[in-house]
Amino acid sequence: MTEGAFELYNHSEFGNLENYLLEKKYSENTSCEQIPDVHIFTGTVEYKKHRFKTVSLFLISIFDEKLLEIMSKIFVLLCITIALVTTINFLDNETLDWFYILGIMVSLVPLIISLCIQNVLEYHKDTFCRKCGNKLACEEIGEPVMKEKSNFGDYTLTVTRHWKCRCCGNVDTREGPENIFTEKGEMLPVIYLKGIECKKCSLSGTVVEFKKPDIKEIGNKRIIRRYYKCTLCGHEDISEIEKTINHSIYAHGS
């Protein structure tokens, strides 16, 4: 028994989807719509949280967006240059082991600075009013909505947020994936499905996965949603499990 594959939630009829949503502790506003070969999950999410907000306010007030982008690229090039020079000198036996380690550690400093500037640029983009052109003018309003669309060959996720300008009052609706990693996973081996009992006809060994599972990573959480169907009575179920991941072990796209 792996990955919680035996925790099934009925969604063969739209009314019964509420049981699934309640079991998974979704928001009251979350819903799931099923059309032929496609599942669409919709629910609210939290407001966007920005890191290094104080630094962002300071840098944005001094520099414009283009200059911040140039600065970020310069620090990336500096990181690569320091790492290459250190590695070449080490391979030529011109540096000691401790000096090589020190050089690599030093090369990480401009990389970290570049990543911080990328966060500043994101804050700049979110708070910039595209109507009146003022920086640091927009704030998030309303309920952000996350929409997931799953079919047999694809799984996509988008988040829709609303930003209101304090200066001109314009409300800007923006939609995007927000760097949330998504992919289609692999189906479980048949042996793991033998012990599953259909919740409608109560027979075992008749349940199969009828499409590849959906996988998304949000923060340090890896969420896997699987789709099951009884080959005898046609009853369908959804199973969803959540794992805490270590990004030093799990790499995106692996």
Side-chain angles (χ1 to χ4, degrees):
M1 308 229 179
T2 62
E3 299 186 351
F6 295 46
E7 297 179 15
L8 304 182
Y9 299 92
N10 175 21
H11 82 290
S12 59
E13 297 177 2
F14 187 78
N16 291 329
L17 284 169
E18 294 180 1
N19 296 330
Y20 165 73
L21 299 173
L22 289 174
E23 287 286 340
K24 300 315 296 176
K25 298 181 180 179
Y26 272 63
S27 162
E28 292 180 358
N29 295 327
T30 300
S31 64
C32 175
E33 175 187 357
Q34 182 181 1
I35 57 179
D37 301 334
V38 180
H39 292 79
I40 300 175
F41 297 85
T42 307
T44 57
V45 294
E46 295 181 350
Y47 283 150
K48 198 168 187 179
K49 296 179 181 178
H50 292 90
R51 294 175 290 176
F52 318 116
K53 190 171 182 178
T54 302
V55 176
S56 298
L57 291 170
F58 175 73
L59 292 178
I60 293 172
S61 63
I62 298 177
F63 305 108
D64 60 22
E65 184 179 10
K66 290 184 178 179
L67 185 55
L68 287 171
E69 290 176 348
I70 293 172
M71 290 169 59
S72 177
K73 292 177 181 178
I74 289 175
F75 279 110
V76 170
L77 289 174
L78 183 60
C79 167
I80 295 173
T81 301
I82 295 174
L84 284 176
V85 170
T86 302
T87 302
I88 291 172
N89 287 334
F90 178 75
L91 293 176
D92 289 340
N93 297 318
E94 294 181 7
T95 59
L96 300 175
D97 290 351
W98 66 267
F99 191 80
Y100 170 72
I101 295 174
L102 180 63
I104 294 300
M105 291 178 65
V106 170
S107 71
L108 294 177
V109 174
L111 178 62
I112 293 172
I113 295 175
S114 177
L115 292 175
C116 290
I117 294 176
Q118 287 298 317
N119 278 279
V120 173
L121 284 167
E122 183 177 359
Y123 187 71
H124 181 285
K125 180 180 179 181
D126 289 339
T127 59
F128 178 77
C129 179
R130 293 188 284 192
K131 183 176 181 180
C132 67
N134 282 313
K135 298 189 294 184
L136 303 171
C138 293
E139 58 184 0
E140 194 172 3
I141 62 170
E143 287 188 320
V145 174
M146 182 169 69
K147 184 176 182 180
E148 303 170 70
K149 185 176 181 181
S150 172
N151 55 36
F152 284 105
D154 194 24
Y155 171 50
T156 58
L157 182 153
T158 57
V159 177
T160 302
R161 299 182 184 274
H162 310 281
W163 301 86
K164 184 176 181 179
C165 178
R166 293 189 296 269
C167 300
C168 67
N170 180 61
V171 176
D172 191 4
T173 299
R174 305 171 190 175
E175 180 179 287
E178 296 197 354
N179 297 319
I180 298 176
F181 172 72
T182 60
E183 70 172 355
K184 277 291 186 181
E186 296 298 326
M187 293 183 181
L188 292 171
V190 177
I191 190 173
Y192 291 117
L193 305 175
K194 293 294 185 181
I196 300 180
E197 180 181 290
C198 175
K199 289 191 175 181
K200 185 174 183 179
C201 66
S202 300
L203 293 178
S204 298
T206 60
V207 174
V208 297
E209 284 190 270
F210 65 90
K211 69 175 179 179
K212 290 184 177 181
D214 307 325
I215 299 176
K216 64 174 177 281
E217 290 183 10
I218 302 178
N220 67 336
K221 299 296 182 182
R222 184 178 179 90
I223 302 168
I224 304 174
R225 182 188 295 125
R226 295 186 180 276
Y227 301 88
Y228 301 97
K229 184 175 183 178
C230 178
T231 57
L232 187 63
C233 68
H235 179 72
E236 295 181 6
D237 296 286
I238 298 175
S239 170
E240 187 171 289
I241 60 125
E242 182 179 291
K243 293 182 177 180
T244 300
I245 61 174
N246 185 338
H247 283 289
S248 64
I249 299 176
Y250 292 96
H252 284 184
S254 61

